[in-house]
Amino acid sequence: MPRFLSLVRIDEATAPAGGPSPELQQRMGALLEEITKAGVMLDTAGLTPTSEGVRVRHEKGGKLTVTDGPFTEAKEVIGGYALMQAKDRAEAVEWARRFVEVHGDEYDVTCEVRQIAE
């Protein structure tokens, strides 16, 4: 079965300052339990804010730069990921749709689902 990477993109500027509410954590926990029991979820995690991140970039011509976060030019940032093994793209997209919906009105969230080239 193919594997898919879902990149969870959020707008840090509009995310709740205290993190997810207890209600969202409960809804998320139930969904993650369901997707794990279905045998689809291989790994998932949230990421620390960009203020704690570092970007390492290699440019044409050999220039290397290392930049500490936060990254002010970024509106949407990767807030987490999920590695799934699904029967096809449609199933992976359906799980991503459910994941986005579980956030309710607390977050602006986007999931980019891409199949892993194997």
Side-chain angles (χ1 to χ4, degrees):
M1 287 200 318
R3 294 184 305 156
F4 296 86
L5 181 64
S6 174
L7 299 171
V8 180
R9 298 182 186 275
I10 63 168
D11 181 347
E12 283 186 320
T14 62
S21 68
E23 295 80 19
L24 174 55
Q25 290 179 24
Q26 183 179 18
R27 292 190 312 266
M28 185 69 65
L31 179 61
L32 293 177
E33 183 177 334
E34 181 181 354
I35 192 172
T36 300
K37 283 183 179 178
V40 173
M41 184 66 71
L42 300 176
D43 190 26
T44 188
L47 302 175
T48 59
T50 60
S51 61
E52 298 175 26
V54 176
R55 283 188 180 159
V56 179
R57 179 182 172 131
H58 181 270
E59 298 177 29
K60 247 197 271 191
K63 182 179 179 187
L64 182 69
T65 58
V66 178
T67 307
D68 290 331
F71 312 114
T72 55
E73 72 280 2
K75 179 172 168 48
E76 282 189 334
V77 299
I78 298 173
Y81 71 92
L83 180 60
M84 302 178 283
Q85 188 164 21
K87 65 182 178 194
D88 56 26
R89 180 176 177 247
E91 181 183 21
V93 169
E94 176 59 20
W95 284 112
R97 182 194 63 77
R98 291 186 59 197
F99 176 83
V100 169
E101 284 183 338
V102 84
H103 285 79
D105 292 336
E106 290 183 60
Y107 286 85
D108 287 330
V109 61
T110 302
C111 279
E112 178 180 337
V113 178
R114 297 176 58 188
Q115 186 169 343
I116 295 173
E118 302 197 54

